[in-house]
Amino acid sequence: MPSAEELRTRIEEALPGAEVSVVDTTGGGDHFRAEIVSDHFEGLTRIQQHKLIYDVFGDEVGGAIHALSIKTETPSPAGDGR
Amino acid sequence: MTNDEIKTFIENAIKENRVMLFMKGTPQQPACGFSMRASGALNALGVKYAALDILPDPRIREELSGVSGWPTIPQLFVDGELVGGSDIVMEMFESGELAGLLGVEQPELEEEPEPEQPVQQRPIGLENRLN
C-alpha cells in the first residue's frame, strides 16, 4: 500500500527541485492529495502539468492509488498569483 | 460490443457533444465524489451537457483513457478537447474560467441556481447496448 511519503518522494525524484506535499486524505492509503510547485510546469497547460504527475505513477492511479487529487503551480517570484 | 466499437462511440460522443462529461454514475446519481463535483459545477453554470456513466463496462474507462491519455474519472471535454479531471474543472469553475470557456455567466455562489436537466439520451443508449 503506497504511503503519502512514498508518493512525495517519487514526485520529487521525477521533478527535481519541486516543492511537494502529499496528504493521505482518508488515512486509508489509497486517496491522496498532492500539491506541487515546480518550474517544470512553466509553459505547460494545466492538463500537461497534471499529466506529468499522473505519469509518475502510471497504472497505479486507478489501481492501488484509487484517487490522486492534484494541484500544480509554478513558482511565481513576482508574487502575482500566476 | 467490441472494444473498437466502444472507442468509436466515445470519439463520436466527444465530437458530437459540445460539453461532454464522462463520469462515475449519472448527474442525478453520481457514484463518486469527484464525479459529483464535476457535474455539480456544470449544473451550477446551467449549461447543457451530455454525460456518460463509465461504470457499466470497465472497457469504457480503458478505451476513454486510451483516447484522452488521462487516467482518472471524471473527464470533461469541451469542443472536442479534454479540459481536465475534477481538480482542473473545480479550479476553473471557481476562477470563472469555466464559465468563460462555456460562454455563460459565472453564477453568484451564494445562490443555488436551478440546474438544467443534462442531456441523457446518448449515455443511456450506450448502457443499453452494453447490457
Side-chain angles (χ1 to χ4, degrees):
Chain A
M1 195 180 290
S3 69
E5 184 57 29
E6 181 194 330
L7 264 64
R8 187 175 69 82
T9 307
R10 287 172 66 186
I11 294 171
E12 283 173 351
E13 279 168 5
L15 305 176
E19 245 177 73
V20 184
S21 77
V22 179
V23 179
D24 181 337
T25 55
T26 60
D30 52 8
H31 286 67
F32 297 96
R33 173 161 182 83
E35 298 193 6
I36 305 108
V37 182
S38 169
D39 50 18
H40 286 84
F41 299 141
E42 210 79 60
L44 300 183
T45 65
R46 242 181 309 218
I47 293 269
Q48 292 166 331
Q49 294 175 2
H50 284 221
K51 268 188 181 165
L52 267 187
I53 305 304
Y54 283 133
D55 286 347
V56 174
F57 302 105
D59 285 350
E60 291 166 75
V61 173
I65 303 170
H66 288 195
L68 176 60
S69 178
I70 298 172
K71 184 171 170 58
T72 54
E73 273 178 58
T74 50
S76 53
D80 59 359
R82 165 71 192 98
Chain B
M1 206 171 189
T2 67
N3 285 35
D4 273 351
E5 283 168 337
I6 292 177
K7 185 179 177 209
T8 303
F9 187 93
I10 290 169
E11 286 170 342
N12 285 340
I14 293 169
K15 212 181 298 169
E16 289 164 15
N17 296 286
R18 177 167 185 249
V19 185
M20 181 72 216
L21 180 69
F22 295 89
M23 66 185 291
K24 292 182 181 175
T26 64
Q28 289 76 23
Q29 276 197 303
C32 164
F34 297 101
S35 289
M36 183 175 71
R37 286 202 281 278
S39 67
L42 293 174
N43 292 344
L45 292 175
V47 290
K48 276 196 180 162
Y49 62 100
L52 174 62
D53 182 1
I54 61 111
L55 290 176
D57 188 323
R59 295 177 302 166
I60 303 174
R61 181 185 181 150
E62 287 163 24
E63 293 299 326
L64 173 62
S65 290
V67 168
S68 64
W70 192 260
T72 55
I73 303 296
Q75 297 185 22
L76 176 67
F77 290 78
V78 176
D79 292 324
E81 294 284 333
L82 176 65
V83 171
S86 71
D87 297 322
I88 293 179
V89 168
M90 290 317 290
E91 258 182 63
M92 290 178 70
F93 173 64
E94 281 158 16
S95 70
E97 262 174 277
L98 190 60
L101 177 67
L102 296 171
V104 296
E105 292 281 321
Q106 177 77 355
E108 294 291 328
L109 288 177
E110 284 74 29
E111 291 171 31
E112 278 289 294
E114 201 60 36
E116 232 177 282
Q117 282 303 313
V119 184
Q120 277 279 308
Q121 279 111 337
R122 297 191 60 86
I124 287 165
L126 179 58
E127 283 173 39
N128 289 346
R129 263 176 279 162
L130 286 167
N131 294 337

